[in-house]
Amino acid sequence: MEKNKTNGMDKSGIITSNEPVIHSSPIDTPVTLTPVDWNNKRLFTLFWPLIVEQLFVVMIGIVDMVMVSSVGEHAVSGISLVETINFLIITAFNAIATGGSVVASQYLGRNEEKNASCSARQLIYIGLVISVVLMILTLFTRRLMLRAIFGNIADDVLASADVYFIFIALSYPFLALYTAAAAMFRSMGNSKVPMRAVILLNIFNIAGNAFLIYVLKLGVAGAAISTFIGRVIVAVILIKLLTKDKTRLINLCGITKIKLEGAMIKRILNIGIPSGLESSMFQVGKILITRIFTMFGTAAIAANAVGATINSIAFMPGSGFGMGLLIVAGHCIGAGDYLAVKKYTKKIMILSYLTYFIININIFIFMDPIISVFNLSAEAHEMCRTFLKIHCITSTLFWCPSFVLPNALKAAGDARYVMVVAACTMWLIRVCSAFFMAYTLGLGPVAVYLAMGADFLFRGIFFIKRWRSNKWIEKKVIQ
């Protein structure tokens, strides 16, 4: 095969030798690239904090719910309504951070630390602008938003949701700063700092809730204030860490001298906007099909709530692997080492499958004791067992190609394809088939879990086909 002697690459763009590769950079020229090496130790160091971090992220919402339950059902209901909307906001911040992470990772793969730091500063500016707009919009329209989405709400529930929403909205700029800063640490391969930040946030949240709810008797406001202060603290810590140390591969030195880079912002948004639309449409679809459970009584609602809680814990390691794959693939693609991209993606997919199999086999074996913790009725308990059986089988087989593999495509800049596939399978397969099977075929609430499995299957088929086609190699995030 004929080689391109200037860069050690064959006609497909894949590096085939260990010789350094020279690229020109707008800031540092020339840049010398070497094949990327993510050995087992380095992968382990990246992944275990990511998995722990995701588990603690889930705990934050659960802790608020449990600790505020002493105030009354109206308080729990109010918080749950706000958290449904809040999750969409968090999804938007995470999507923009994904764009920044891909761009920064590719620059680091090319040894262009100054450009990586530039992308980090632009990410901070973007996050602050979006978060301030969302904060102002939410503060002025929060009651209208709650009634528009959830319809008629009892006055005490609306009052609780209103109070909680105020402080949560005020925390959006700090949440955006934390999300962006955490993404930059992960891009450097340092996932321990974001993990420690989330653990600190959990500790502060529990201590703050205990004092504000139980001692000062502030109720829902206490839970909201605790979350607000916690987000401020972790955001300030992470931003300070990136600002004070000029030796970091990515730093925010000079961020106060605001300078917008249009080309860099475009690169970030080209990944972030499709990722945000994908995640938002996915969450809206999930909210829509959960209405099926309300049509089949309290037992179905309770069974799904417990099943979803158990499944969310099972999902967390896979989410960690997906975030890690985004970083690893981004570094490799930035270095032009596409053989390494395929090698590490395959290894990470195998690890994801293995982890998911171990978790789900344990859920399957110990299903009854786990469900019993939630004190469900006999009808709801049996229904939950059915849900979990379906989910354990379908997710073990199909979840990893559906939700881990697309991170490699995003890392290559193929985010639009991921968005289109995710939107189509979510709405045409999961949503439509769930309603069809539930009502037309008379399968009831079990249809939601069957439709979910079908969504995993078809989504995975499209992503595997795209991956094998190598069309993602043609995508360019940075020149």
Side-chain angles (χ1 to χ4, degrees):
M1 184 177 291
E2 181 182 350
K3 300 290 182 73
N4 181 335
K5 295 179 181 179
T6 62
N7 61 11
M9 299 168 73
D10 64 28
K11 291 182 178 179
S12 68
I14 297 179
I15 288 180
T16 56
S17 73
N18 290 325
E19 297 176 2
V21 182
I22 307 298
H23 285 283
S24 61
S25 159
I27 293 180
D28 291 322
T29 56
V31 175
T32 302
L33 302 182
T34 55
V36 180
D37 180 24
W38 283 86
N39 55 44
N40 290 338
K41 182 179 179 181
R42 193 178 177 195
L43 287 174
F44 179 77
T45 302
L46 174 68
F47 281 116
W48 78 259
L50 287 174
I51 293 171
V52 173
E53 178 189 348
Q54 292 306 297
L55 291 172
F56 275 95
V57 166
V58 173
M59 283 181 59
I60 294 175
I62 295 174
V63 166
D64 271 359
M65 288 287 197
V66 172
M67 297 189 76
V68 85
S69 61
S70 62
V71 179
E73 289 185 359
H74 66 281
V76 175
S77 299
I79 289 178
S80 67
L81 296 181
V82 175
E83 284 301 312
T84 301
I85 300 173
N86 194 43
F87 196 80
L88 290 173
I89 303 295
I90 293 173
T91 295
F93 295 153
N94 285 338
I96 300 300
T98 295
S101 185
V102 168
V103 174
S105 295
Q106 288 202 17
Y107 275 125
L108 290 180
R110 294 175 58 157
N111 298 325
E112 298 182 25
E113 288 86 359
K114 288 186 179 180
N115 272 346
S117 295
C118 177
S119 69
R121 291 191 293 273
Q122 303 309 307
L123 176 62
I124 294 294
Y125 300 148
I126 296 169
L128 276 177
V129 170
I130 292 174
S131 62
V132 169
V133 170
L134 287 173
M135 178 187 72
I136 295 172
L137 180 66
T138 300
L139 288 173
F140 282 98
T141 65
R142 61 188 187 277
R143 284 191 171 238
L144 180 65
M145 198 183 301
L146 288 165
R147 290 200 181 278
I149 295 174
F150 301 106
N152 292 325
I153 307 171
D155 290 340
D156 55 351
V157 173
L158 181 61
S160 296
D162 185 54
V163 171
Y164 190 75
F165 219 165
I166 290 173
F167 290 99
I168 294 301
L170 290 172
S171 75
Y172 286 161
F174 300 99
L175 178 60
L177 288 174
Y178 158 75
T179 304
M184 291 303 99
F185 274 104
R186 296 188 200 103
S187 296
M188 291 185 281
N190 186 347
S191 54
K192 290 183 180 179
V193 171
M195 176 195 70
R196 290 168 182 160
V198 171
I199 292 175
L200 176 64
L201 180 57
N202 270 272
I203 293 172
F204 185 88
N205 199 43
I206 293 171
N209 281 351
F211 179 71
L212 295 172
I213 295 174
Y214 301 140
V215 178
L216 296 186
K217 308 295 183 182
L218 293 181
V220 172
I225 293 170
S226 178
T227 300
F228 170 75
I229 296 176
R231 286 176 175 176
V232 172
I233 291 173
V234 294
V236 170
I237 290 174
L238 292 189
I239 294 295
K240 189 172 182 180
L241 287 174
L242 288 173
T243 304
K244 73 176 184 178
D245 190 352
K246 295 182 180 180
T247 64
R248 294 188 188 277
L249 294 176
I250 296 178
N251 62 74
L252 296 176
C253 298
I255 192 170
T256 54
K257 299 176 182 178
I258 299 176
K259 183 180 179 181
L260 299 179
E261 301 284 351
M264 193 71 77
I265 291 173
K266 184 178 179 181
R267 294 184 188 112
I268 294 171
L269 295 180
N270 280 342
I271 305 294
I273 291 177
S275 297
L277 291 173
E278 170 209 342
S279 300
S280 298
M281 287 187 288
F282 181 77
Q283 294 304 324
V284 171
K286 283 180 65 176
I287 293 171
L288 180 62
I289 59 177
T290 53
R291 293 191 176 189
I292 292 176
F293 296 104
T294 64
M295 300 299 293
F296 290 92
T298 304
I301 297 172
N304 178 61
V306 171
T309 300
I310 296 170
N311 291 332
S312 67
I313 296 173
F315 282 145
M316 289 306 102
S319 298
F321 280 116
M323 294 170 67
L325 177 57
L326 188 79
I327 304 305
V328 174
H331 279 227
C332 296
I333 291 167
D337 195 345
Y338 288 93
L339 286 180
V341 179
K342 294 186 175 184
K343 171 187 172 182
Y344 294 122
T345 298
K346 181 179 179 181
K347 179 181 286 189
I348 292 168
M349 287 295 293
I350 291 172
L351 290 172
S352 302
Y353 259 113
L354 181 60
T355 304
Y356 219 106
F357 175 78
I358 293 172
I359 292 172
N360 276 343
I361 200 70
N362 278 280
I363 291 176
F364 204 93
I365 294 172
F366 301 105
M367 192 177 296
D368 283 318
I370 294 172
I371 298 174
S372 297
V373 172
F374 296 91
N375 296 315
L376 295 177
S377 66
E379 181 186 1
H381 183 108
E382 188 59 32
M383 199 178 294
C384 187
R385 288 182 81 253
T386 302
F387 294 164
L388 288 178
K389 284 179 181 179
I390 295 171
H391 193 268
C392 282
I393 295 170
T394 57
S395 63
T396 299
L397 294 173
F398 311 127
W399 191 86
C400 292
S402 303
F403 292 94
V404 179
L405 181 59
N407 285 283
L409 298 175
K410 290 179 184 178
D414 208 5
R416 291 184 183 179
Y417 179 84
V418 174
M419 176 193 71
V420 171
V421 169
C424 290
T425 58
M426 181 68 192
W427 289 92
L428 297 179
I429 296 176
R430 187 184 295 203
V431 175
C432 292
S433 66
F435 280 95
F436 177 76
M437 289 188 289
Y439 300 112
T440 305
L441 300 184
L443 296 181
V446 74
V448 173
Y449 282 80
L450 292 173
M452 191 187 305
D455 178 23
F456 295 164
L457 170 62
F458 284 96
R459 189 183 297 234
I461 289 172
F462 280 105
F463 290 147
I464 290 172
K465 185 177 180 180
R466 183 70 165 188
W467 180 253
R468 290 180 174 175
S469 73
N470 287 333
K471 290 182 179 179
W472 51 275
I473 295 177
E474 301 168 5
K475 302 296 178 179
K476 299 295 179 185
V477 175
I478 59 178
Q479 298 301 321

